Amino acid sequence: MTALTLVKKTSFTVASVAATVVLSICTPASAFMFGTSGIQFDEDTNISFTFDRSQGAYQSSLWVAQSLPNNTGYSNISSLFTETKPSDNGPANNWQGSFGNAVTSNNGAISQTFTFLKDQIYALLLWSDTGSGKPFEQYVSSTTFMNSSLWFAAQSKFGRTDCLAIGCQQAVFGNFSLNYNSTEPFSNVNAGKGPEQFQSVTSAQLGEGIKISFDDGQGPSEADFQQFSVTAQAVPEPMSLLGTILGIGALGAARAKKNITSQRKNDF
């Protein structure tokens, strides 16, 4: 079975999943969200994702997924980053993977830009091979509502019971800290703030750039959200940038005119 066939097979077309998650995804039209409730914009928006690092022996790939019609499931639509091997150098540095060594992208660039279409609902999916070398064996999601009782992935080793045991939040968003040299819980590294305090970001924060990091769902003691990390930032539209430049130019011209007028009055 090819990877493409497997992706199609695991496109979450289970119709009844909508009933399970409907309360979570019934957001008003033209709403903004970027976090564990999903990704949605009120206009077509370009987001640049830059790879940071990966940890752990699982071989993973990060995808953008889009909601199917009538919210009947999700389908992988774009690959952002892929691990070609579990790490740079075996178990060294807790199986650390860096771009250009263990990690690559379709075009070989460390930053990938994806256009999120207006009013569509998206999520980020981290697929892992669970150590078997077989891609798309299980996934964890950046959205909590995708971990429903009917949620599944091919031969998944992370099911609903695991989700309830360790918490269904499998990604954190925002300005959080990760200590790759520590085994302390996530909350200890973040001054008592748990992952639930990093569930979403504002459009202003996204414009400045934020971090996103995934856990891989191995168990309660492993919920450190260190397995796959990227940064995300909204890409300004060219016309918006031009408008800002023109606005600055107009302001400068107005100030210069005011100074000239003031000087003429003083001359008289």
Side-chain angles (χ1 to χ4, degrees):
M1 182 179 294
T2 66
L4 179 59
T5 301
L6 188 53
V7 169
K8 290 182 177 179
K9 181 179 179 182
T10 57
S11 290
F12 318 112
T13 55
V14 182
S16 56
V17 75
T20 308
V21 303
V22 66
L23 292 179
S24 298
I25 60 180
C26 282
T27 55
S30 299
F32 166 85
M33 60 181 177
F34 200 96
T36 59
S37 292
I39 297 173
Q40 185 180 26
F41 295 94
D42 55 11
E43 60 181 357
D44 291 358
T45 302
N46 294 324
I47 300 295
S48 175
F49 295 93
T50 301
F51 180 81
D52 181 13
R53 65 192 291 172
S54 67
Q55 301 286 151
Y58 287 4
Q59 193 168 317
S60 304
S61 60
L62 183 62
W63 290 71
V64 176
Q66 184 177 8
S67 173
L68 296 176
N70 300 316
N71 296 321
T72 53
Y74 280 76
S75 178
N76 292 304
I77 59 173
S78 181
S79 170
L80 296 177
F81 304 105
T82 302
E83 283 189 290
T84 57
K85 56 183 180 179
S87 67
D88 292 344
N89 186 24
N93 299 317
N94 190 24
W95 298 86
Q96 179 180 341
S98 60
F99 195 85
N101 191 327
V103 183
T104 189
S105 62
N106 287 339
N107 63 3
I110 195 172
S111 294
Q112 300 293 307
T113 298
F114 181 82
T115 301
F116 292 89
L117 300 180
K118 174 183 177 181
D119 295 337
Q120 297 294 312
I121 299 176
Y122 298 86
L124 298 175
L125 303 183
L126 183 69
W127 286 92
S128 298
D129 68 353
T130 69
S132 68
K134 299 177 181 179
F136 307 113
E137 189 171 15
Q138 76 164 22
Y139 83 91
V140 293
S141 171
S142 65
T143 53
T144 55
F145 62 75
M146 290 184 68
N147 294 311
S148 71
S149 59
L150 297 175
W151 169 83
F152 72 98
Q155 303 177 16
S156 177
K157 296 181 180 179
F158 181 69
R160 178 63 172 172
T161 54
D162 301 306
C163 169
L164 294 176
I166 71 171
C168 295
Q169 183 179 343
Q170 295 301 309
V172 284
F173 298 76
N175 186 24
F176 52 83
S177 297
L178 296 174
N179 186 345
Y180 295 100
N181 297 315
S182 172
T183 58
E184 289 185 284
F186 179 87
S187 58
N188 287 7
V189 179
N190 287 277
K193 295 181 179 179
E196 68 280 356
Q197 293 182 266
F198 297 94
Q199 291 189 352
S200 64
V201 295
T202 65
S203 57
Q205 289 175 308
L206 189 59
E208 296 172 354
I210 55 98
K211 294 185 292 185
I212 307 171
S213 195
F214 289 82
D215 191 61
D216 58 9
Q218 291 189 64
S221 62
E222 297 292 334
D224 51 18
F225 298 93
Q226 295 183 2
Q227 275 58 54
F228 209 93
S229 301
V230 298
T231 59
Q233 185 171 17
V235 180
E237 291 293 328
M239 288 306 296
S240 298
L241 182 59
L242 177 60
T244 300
I245 295 173
L246 292 176
I248 293 173
L251 179 60
R255 287 178 175 174
K257 182 178 180 180
K258 181 179 179 181
N259 290 338
I260 292 173
T261 302
S262 177
Q263 182 63 43
R264 286 177 176 175
K265 288 181 178 180
N266 291 335
D267 290 342
F268 291 98

